[in-house]
Amino acid sequence: ECMSCDYRCPDGKHHTACGGAGAGSCNDCQAGQFKDAQTPEAVTCFACPAGKFQSQAGKTKCAACTPGTFHNARGTAQNFSSRCSYCPNGKYQPSAGQLGCTQCSKGRYNPFRGRHAAASCMACHHGKFGDAIGMTSCKLCGVGQFQEGEGQSTCHSCAPGQYNPYFGRGSKGFCYFCPCGKWSMSQANVCVECAAGRYRHGKGGSR
């Protein structure tokens, strides 16, 4: 009489090689897999879900990736540093067992990886701005611009009749008035000479 292959292995193990003349045996679930008491009849082990990992064989459960890390694939059996990846620069993750990380908002940046707190996204300093999410560094305000505030996504333009030839200025005081005989439009980095046959007595003139 042939025997059934319906054999229940202990937790963390699965039944293999049953059939023909052999009854098979119970073997450890591989790293990256698990089998618990709730599934004793399962022939195979289950892959760890995304956001979790298991580096050892023969285990009954998977562990969640820690805050500041993530994992978006199933059944991974590599070492910790490559299994649960660190959140990249410009992102953070405050919770465990996550599939991805959250990007820093506009006006903020994070130059470090593996961060778990929203506070890791620092405000751009005056004279700089962040016009996109997930930035790893802030941009300098361009010539003809300035930014006095922090955590901003844009810069202000110097008014008509003024100019600023420098990058990264953090005060409106760096918008200089055009001298007599010259003029400028908004966001200028230089002033322009009045055209032939025209003149301007006062400083800070626009067209």
Side-chain angles (χ1 to χ4, degrees), residues 187-203:
Q187 198 174 320
N189 66 323
V190 294
C191 296
V192 181
E193 298 276 357
C194 290
R198 303 181 68 86
Y199 72 96
R200 181 175 297 281
H201 280 303
K203 62 181 181 179

Side-chain angles (χ1 to χ4, degrees), residues 19-170:
S25 61
C26 290
N27 296 295
D28 286 343
C29 293
Q30 296 179 359
Q33 299 180 338
F34 75 101
K35 191 163 83 68
D36 55 25
Q38 297 179 359
T39 56
E41 71 285 350
V43 176
T44 60
C45 299
F46 301 97
C48 290
K52 295 188 176 184
F53 71 96
Q54 179 50 259
S55 59
Q56 300 179 13
K59 296 301 180 180
T60 61
K61 61 182 180 180
C62 302
C65 293
T66 58
T69 67
F70 73 102
H71 186 53
N72 56 12
R74 301 175 66 242
T76 301
Q78 301 169 335
N79 60 44
F80 180 83
S81 60
S82 61
R83 178 173 51 250
C84 291
S85 302
Y86 289 112
C87 289
N89 305 13
K91 298 183 179 183
Y92 67 98
Q93 179 50 257
S95 303
Q98 300 302 304
L99 282 65
C101 301
T102 302
Q103 298 190 89
C104 294
S105 59
K106 290 183 178 181
R108 294 182 172 273
Y109 73 105
N110 170 25
F112 308 108
R113 66 175 188 151
R115 297 309 190 192
H116 62 84
S120 300
C121 297
M122 299 173 285
C124 294
H125 298 301
H126 55 266
K128 298 182 179 182
F129 69 104
D131 59 351
I133 59 175
M135 294 188 69
T136 60
S137 62
C138 298
K139 301 176 181 178
L140 292 174
C141 291
V143 293
Q145 297 181 320
F146 68 96
Q147 179 52 261
E148 296 178 320
E150 295 194 348
Q152 302 301 307
S153 59
T154 60
C155 295
H156 301 295
S157 297
C158 292
Q162 298 180 337
Y163 73 103
N164 168 27
Y166 306 109
F167 287 93
R169 291 318 189 198

Side-chain angles (χ1 to χ4, degrees), residues 172-198:
K172 187 177 181 179
F174 287 101
C175 293
Y176 306 107
F177 288 106
C178 290
C180 297
K182 295 186 177 183
W183 64 276
S184 73
M185 299 181 69
S186 175
Q187 198 174 320
N189 66 323
V190 294
C191 296
V192 181
E193 298 276 357
C194 290
R198 303 181 68 86

